[in-house]
Amino acid sequence: MKRSKLTFLIIAIVTILVGMIASFILPDRFMFDAYTIGLDRYNEKGWLGSYPFSMMIYHITGVGRLPFPMVALIQLPIIF
């Protein structure tokens, strides 16, 4: 395995672990956007705007009902 691939995998694994553990360590204010999108208390789902669109995708896929560490496990590899 090339050194650049190994470096990428190490960074990816560390980032995924930090993403999963962060919801247990960080105060609630750091998760406010995630709470807004995931819980959608005021039924703001829609197709226009970043928050409403994200809420709609979370609703359709069911990701909004998962715990935050599981969401991190799904989202971070997609980002990579």
Side-chain angles (χ1 to χ4, degrees):
M1 184 180 291
K2 290 184 180 179
R3 184 176 173 154
S4 60
K5 278 188 177 181
L6 181 63
T7 304
F8 173 79
L9 286 175
I10 290 171
I11 292 171
I13 290 169
V14 168
T15 304
I16 289 170
L17 290 174
V18 168
M20 291 178 66
I21 295 170
S23 64
F24 297 111
I25 297 172
L26 295 173
D28 284 344
R29 69 174 183 251
F30 287 97
M31 300 294 178
F32 185 70
D33 288 344
Y35 289 131
T36 302
I37 293 170
L39 301 177
D40 190 19
R41 292 185 183 131
Y42 304 110
N43 196 23
E44 299 178 72
K45 292 182 282 294
W47 297 106
L48 300 175
S50 61
Y51 276 116
F53 183 76
S54 298
M55 290 173 197
M56 181 63 81
I57 297 299
Y58 273 50
H59 174 73
I60 290 171
T61 60
V63 174
R65 292 183 291 259
L66 295 174
F68 290 138
M70 292 300 296
V71 175
L73 189 60
I74 293 168
Q75 287 182 339
L76 287 172
I78 292 170
I79 291 170
F80 284 125

